PDB file of all heavy atoms in Angstrom:
ATOM      1  N   THR A 163     120.758 -68.989  -1.684  1.00  0.00           N
ATOM      2  CA  THR A 163     120.125 -67.696  -1.578  1.00  0.00           C
ATOM      3  C   THR A 163     119.633 -67.446  -0.140  1.00  0.00           C
ATOM      4  O   THR A 163     119.649 -68.389   0.625  1.00  0.00           O
ATOM      5  CB  THR A 163     118.958 -67.614  -2.547  1.00  0.00           C
ATOM      6  OG1 THR A 163     117.984 -68.592  -2.221  1.00  0.00           O
ATOM      7  CG2 THR A 163     119.452 -67.854  -3.965  1.00  0.00           C
ATOM      8  N   ARG A 164     119.150 -66.259   0.096  1.00  0.00           N
ATOM      9  CA  ARG A 164     118.641 -65.937   1.372  1.00  0.00           C
ATOM     10  C   ARG A 164     117.380 -66.762   1.674  1.00  0.00           C
ATOM     11  O   ARG A 164     117.098 -67.172   2.844  1.00  0.00           O
ATOM     12  CB  ARG A 164     118.289 -64.465   1.479  1.00  0.00           C
ATOM     13  CG  ARG A 164     119.544 -63.576   1.540  1.00  0.00           C
ATOM     14  CD  ARG A 164     119.139 -62.121   1.757  1.00  0.00           C
ATOM     15  NE  ARG A 164     120.328 -61.278   1.937  1.00  0.00           N
ATOM     16  CZ  ARG A 164     120.255 -59.968   2.115  1.00  0.00           C
ATOM     17  NH1 ARG A 164     119.101 -59.336   2.158  1.00  0.00           N
ATOM     18  NH2 ARG A 164     121.409 -59.235   2.194  1.00  0.00           N
ATOM     19  N   TRP A 165     116.568 -67.020   0.654  1.00  0.00           N
ATOM     20  CA  TRP A 165     115.356 -67.820   0.781  1.00  0.00           C
ATOM     21  C   TRP A 165     115.745 -69.224   1.143  1.00  0.00           C
ATOM     22  O   TRP A 165     115.107 -69.863   2.042  1.00  0.00           O
ATOM     23  CB  TRP A 165     114.510 -67.788  -0.464  1.00  0.00           C
ATOM     24  CG  TRP A 165     113.349 -68.634  -0.439  1.00  0.00           C
ATOM     25  CD1 TRP A 165     113.125 -69.736  -1.261  1.00  0.00           C
ATOM     26  CD2 TRP A 165     112.226 -68.641   0.461  1.00  0.00           C
ATOM     27  NE1 TRP A 165     111.964 -70.382  -0.912  1.00  0.00           N
ATOM     28  CE2 TRP A 165     111.363 -69.712   0.132  1.00  0.00           C
ATOM     29  CE3 TRP A 165     111.810 -67.766   1.458  1.00  0.00           C
ATOM     30  CZ2 TRP A 165     110.172 -69.954   0.782  1.00  0.00           C
ATOM     31  CZ3 TRP A 165     110.661 -68.022   2.163  1.00  0.00           C
ATOM     32  CH2 TRP A 165     109.855 -69.101   1.799  1.00  0.00           C
ATOM     33  N   GLU A 166     116.701 -69.811   0.507  1.00  0.00           N
ATOM     34  CA  GLU A 166     117.157 -71.174   0.788  1.00  0.00           C
ATOM     35  C   GLU A 166     117.767 -71.254   2.222  1.00  0.00           C
ATOM     36  O   GLU A 166     117.521 -72.245   2.863  1.00  0.00           O
ATOM     37  CB  GLU A 166     118.167 -71.635  -0.248  1.00  0.00           C
ATOM     38  CG  GLU A 166     117.538 -71.848  -1.649  1.00  0.00           C
ATOM     39  CD  GLU A 166     118.551 -72.069  -2.682  1.00  0.00           C
ATOM     40  OE1 GLU A 166     119.693 -71.614  -2.521  1.00  0.00           O
ATOM     41  OE2 GLU A 166     118.262 -72.695  -3.771  1.00  0.00           O
ATOM     42  N   THR A 167     118.473 -70.213   2.571  1.00  0.00           N
ATOM     43  CA  THR A 167     119.004 -70.130   3.935  1.00  0.00           C
ATOM     44  C   THR A 167     117.917 -70.101   4.948  1.00  0.00           C
ATOM     45  O   THR A 167     117.962 -70.813   6.009  1.00  0.00           O
ATOM     46  CB  THR A 167     119.892 -68.917   4.128  1.00  0.00           C
ATOM     47  OG1 THR A 167     120.926 -68.977   3.114  1.00  0.00           O
ATOM     48  CG2 THR A 167     120.562 -68.902   5.501  1.00  0.00           C
ATOM     49  N   SER A 168     116.850 -69.365   4.655  1.00  0.00           N
ATOM     50  CA  SER A 168     115.660 -69.276   5.621  1.00  0.00           C
ATOM     51  C   SER A 168     115.037 -70.653   5.780  1.00  0.00           C
ATOM     52  O   SER A 168     114.722 -71.012   6.911  1.00  0.00           O
ATOM     53  CB  SER A 168     114.578 -68.295   4.984  1.00  0.00           C
ATOM     54  OG  SER A 168     115.227 -67.014   4.872  1.00  0.00           O
ATOM     55  N   LEU A 169     114.894 -71.379   4.721  1.00  0.00           N
ATOM     56  CA  LEU A 169     114.310 -72.746   4.835  1.00  0.00           C
ATOM     57  C   LEU A 169     115.172 -73.668   5.667  1.00  0.00           C
ATOM     58  O   LEU A 169     114.653 -74.406   6.534  1.00  0.00           O
ATOM     59  CB  LEU A 169     114.108 -73.326   3.458  1.00  0.00           C
ATOM     60  CG  LEU A 169     113.082 -72.570   2.493  1.00  0.00           C
ATOM     61  CD1 LEU A 169     113.012 -73.305   1.128  1.00  0.00           C
ATOM     62  CD2 LEU A 169     111.739 -72.500   3.122  1.00  0.00           C
ATOM     63  N   ILE A 170     116.487 -73.545   5.519  1.00  0.00           N
ATOM     64  CA  ILE A 170     117.415 -74.398   6.277  1.00  0.00           C
ATOM     65  C   ILE A 170     117.285 -74.042   7.763  1.00  0.00           C
ATOM     66  O   ILE A 170     117.285 -74.869   8.666  1.00  0.00           O
ATOM     67  CB  ILE A 170     118.830 -74.242   5.795  1.00  0.00           C
ATOM     68  CG1 ILE A 170     118.912 -74.918   4.313  1.00  0.00           C
ATOM     69  CG2 ILE A 170     119.863 -74.932   6.716  1.00  0.00           C
ATOM     70  CD1 ILE A 170     120.269 -74.768   3.677  1.00  0.00           C
ATOM     71  N   LEU A 171     117.315 -72.762   8.056  1.00  0.00           N
ATOM     72  CA  LEU A 171     117.129 -72.286   9.466  1.00  0.00           C
ATOM     73  C   LEU A 171     115.866 -72.678  10.064  1.00  0.00           C
ATOM     74  O   LEU A 171     115.842 -73.057  11.256  1.00  0.00           O
ATOM     75  CB  LEU A 171     117.365 -70.756   9.529  1.00  0.00           C
ATOM     76  CG  LEU A 171     118.683 -70.211   9.137  1.00  0.00           C
ATOM     77  CD1 LEU A 171     118.690 -68.632   9.222  1.00  0.00           C
ATOM     78  CD2 LEU A 171     119.827 -70.761  10.068  1.00  0.00           C
ATOM     79  N   LEU A 172     114.811 -72.636   9.280  1.00  0.00           N
ATOM     80  CA  LEU A 172     113.523 -73.097   9.840  1.00  0.00           C
ATOM     81  C   LEU A 172     113.526 -74.602  10.174  1.00  0.00           C
ATOM     82  O   LEU A 172     113.018 -75.007  11.194  1.00  0.00           O
ATOM     83  CB  LEU A 172     112.378 -72.802   8.789  1.00  0.00           C
ATOM     84  CG  LEU A 172     111.825 -71.401   8.737  1.00  0.00           C
ATOM     85  CD1 LEU A 172     110.766 -71.281   7.665  1.00  0.00           C
ATOM     86  CD2 LEU A 172     111.250 -71.003  10.082  1.00  0.00           C
ATOM     87  N   ARG A 173     114.128 -75.365   9.254  1.00  0.00           N
ATOM     88  CA  ARG A 173     114.221 -76.782   9.476  1.00  0.00           C
ATOM     89  C   ARG A 173     115.079 -77.080  10.753  1.00  0.00           C
ATOM     90  O   ARG A 173     114.780 -77.943  11.514  1.00  0.00           O
ATOM     91  CB  ARG A 173     114.768 -77.496   8.272  1.00  0.00           C
ATOM     92  CG  ARG A 173     114.807 -79.036   8.460  1.00  0.00           C
ATOM     93  CD  ARG A 173     115.301 -79.689   7.114  1.00  0.00           C
ATOM     94  NE  ARG A 173     115.308 -81.103   7.238  1.00  0.00           N
ATOM     95  CZ  ARG A 173     115.670 -81.912   6.270  1.00  0.00           C
ATOM     96  NH1 ARG A 173     116.055 -81.414   5.077  1.00  0.00           N
ATOM     97  NH2 ARG A 173     115.667 -83.234   6.423  1.00  0.00           N
ATOM     98  N   GLN A 174     116.143 -76.343  10.883  1.00  0.00           N
ATOM     99  CA  GLN A 174     117.030 -76.490  12.019  1.00  0.00           C
ATOM    100  C   GLN A 174     116.338 -76.150  13.355  1.00  0.00           C
ATOM    101  O   GLN A 174     116.653 -76.758  14.365  1.00  0.00           O
ATOM    102  CB  GLN A 174     118.280 -75.588  11.877  1.00  0.00           C
ATOM    103  CG  GLN A 174     119.225 -75.615  13.069  1.00  0.00           C
ATOM    104  CD  GLN A 174     120.013 -76.903  13.129  1.00  0.00           C
ATOM    105  OE1 GLN A 174     119.920 -77.765  12.230  1.00  0.00           O
ATOM    106  NE2 GLN A 174     120.816 -77.076  14.188  1.00  0.00           N
ATOM    107  N   SER A 175     115.408 -75.262  13.330  1.00  0.00           N
ATOM    108  CA  SER A 175     114.771 -74.762  14.576  1.00  0.00           C
ATOM    109  C   SER A 175     113.374 -75.325  14.762  1.00  0.00           C
ATOM    110  O   SER A 175     112.614 -74.769  15.549  1.00  0.00           O
ATOM    111  CB  SER A 175     114.712 -73.206  14.557  1.00  0.00           C
ATOM    112  OG  SER A 175     113.942 -72.806  13.417  1.00  0.00           O
ATOM    113  N   VAL A 176     113.049 -76.437  14.093  1.00  0.00           N
ATOM    114  CA  VAL A 176     111.736 -76.972  14.245  1.00  0.00           C
ATOM    115  C   VAL A 176     111.399 -77.374  15.632  1.00  0.00           C
ATOM    116  O   VAL A 176     110.258 -77.026  16.156  1.00  0.00           O
ATOM    117  CB  VAL A 176     111.598 -78.253  13.316  1.00  0.00           C
ATOM    118  CG1 VAL A 176     110.384 -79.068  13.710  1.00  0.00           C
ATOM    119  CG2 VAL A 176     111.452 -77.850  11.824  1.00  0.00           C
ATOM    120  N   PRO A 177     112.198 -78.011  16.446  1.00  0.00           N
ATOM    121  CA  PRO A 177     111.861 -78.326  17.832  1.00  0.00           C
ATOM    122  C   PRO A 177     111.483 -77.131  18.650  1.00  0.00           C
ATOM    123  O   PRO A 177     110.513 -77.045  19.398  1.00  0.00           O
ATOM    124  CB  PRO A 177     113.089 -79.049  18.422  1.00  0.00           C
ATOM    125  CG  PRO A 177     113.745 -79.703  17.197  1.00  0.00           C
ATOM    126  CD  PRO A 177     113.557 -78.607  16.119  1.00  0.00           C
ATOM    127  N   GLY A 178     112.339 -76.025  18.553  1.00  0.00           N
ATOM    128  CA  GLY A 178     112.003 -74.815  19.261  1.00  0.00           C
ATOM    129  C   GLY A 178     110.729 -74.097  18.775  1.00  0.00           C
ATOM    130  O   GLY A 178     110.008 -73.548  19.593  1.00  0.00           O
ATOM    131  N   ASN A 179     110.520 -74.166  17.487  1.00  0.00           N
ATOM    132  CA  ASN A 179     109.298 -73.566  16.987  1.00  0.00           C
ATOM    133  C   ASN A 179     108.053 -74.312  17.373  1.00  0.00           C
ATOM    134  O   ASN A 179     106.977 -73.635  17.608  1.00  0.00           O
ATOM    135  CB  ASN A 179     109.400 -73.498  15.404  1.00  0.00           C
ATOM    136  CG  ASN A 179     110.482 -72.521  14.874  1.00  0.00           C
ATOM    137  OD1 ASN A 179     110.793 -71.586  15.591  1.00  0.00           O
ATOM    138  ND2 ASN A 179     110.934 -72.788  13.699  1.00  0.00           N
ATOM    139  N   LEU A 180     108.139 -75.577  17.548  1.00  0.00           N
ATOM    140  CA  LEU A 180     107.022 -76.341  18.018  1.00  0.00           C
ATOM    141  C   LEU A 180     106.695 -75.935  19.456  1.00  0.00           C
ATOM    142  O   LEU A 180     105.483 -75.825  19.880  1.00  0.00           O
ATOM    143  CB  LEU A 180     107.292 -77.819  17.989  1.00  0.00           C
ATOM    144  CG  LEU A 180     107.242 -78.486  16.628  1.00  0.00           C
ATOM    145  CD1 LEU A 180     107.707 -79.966  16.691  1.00  0.00           C
ATOM    146  CD2 LEU A 180     105.853 -78.417  16.064  1.00  0.00           C
ATOM    147  N   THR A 181     107.748 -75.622  20.279  1.00  0.00           N
ATOM    148  CA  THR A 181     107.405 -75.171  21.643  1.00  0.00           C
ATOM    149  C   THR A 181     106.809 -73.798  21.590  1.00  0.00           C
ATOM    150  O   THR A 181     105.859 -73.505  22.388  1.00  0.00           O
ATOM    151  CB  THR A 181     108.788 -75.070  22.362  1.00  0.00           C
ATOM    152  OG1 THR A 181     109.454 -76.335  22.448  1.00  0.00           O
ATOM    153  CG2 THR A 181     108.630 -74.577  23.788  1.00  0.00           C
ATOM    154  N   ALA A 182     107.155 -72.938  20.639  1.00  0.00           N
ATOM    155  CA  ALA A 182     106.569 -71.599  20.515  1.00  0.00           C
ATOM    156  C   ALA A 182     105.130 -71.784  20.137  1.00  0.00           C
ATOM    157  O   ALA A 182     104.250 -71.038  20.725  1.00  0.00           O
ATOM    158  CB  ALA A 182     107.324 -70.825  19.452  1.00  0.00           C
ATOM    159  N   ILE A 183     104.829 -72.684  19.198  1.00  0.00           N
ATOM    160  CA  ILE A 183     103.454 -72.876  18.787  1.00  0.00           C
ATOM    161  C   ILE A 183     102.592 -73.407  19.987  1.00  0.00           C
ATOM    162  O   ILE A 183     101.410 -72.998  20.192  1.00  0.00           O
ATOM    163  CB  ILE A 183     103.376 -73.891  17.624  1.00  0.00           C
ATOM    164  CG1 ILE A 183     104.078 -73.239  16.454  1.00  0.00           C
ATOM    165  CG2 ILE A 183     101.930 -74.340  17.304  1.00  0.00           C
ATOM    166  CD1 ILE A 183     104.197 -74.233  15.244  1.00  0.00           C
ATOM    167  N   LEU A 184     103.208 -74.328  20.718  1.00  0.00           N
ATOM    168  CA  LEU A 184     102.489 -74.829  21.984  1.00  0.00           C
ATOM    169  C   LEU A 184     102.155 -73.715  22.934  1.00  0.00           C
ATOM    170  O   LEU A 184     101.066 -73.657  23.450  1.00  0.00           O
ATOM    171  CB  LEU A 184     103.363 -75.949  22.579  1.00  0.00           C
ATOM    172  CG  LEU A 184     102.833 -76.366  24.019  1.00  0.00           C
ATOM    173  CD1 LEU A 184     101.521 -77.074  23.856  1.00  0.00           C
ATOM    174  CD2 LEU A 184     103.843 -77.337  24.683  1.00  0.00           C
TER     175      LEU A 184
END
Side-chain angles (χ1 to χ4, degrees):
T163 62
R164 290 183 177 182
W165 173 245
E166 292 170 334
T167 303
S168 300
L169 296 179
I170 291 175
L171 293 178
L172 278 178
R173 184 175 181 180
Q174 176 73 6
S175 58
V176 164
N179 290 336
L180 285 175
T181 302
I183 294 173
L184 171 66

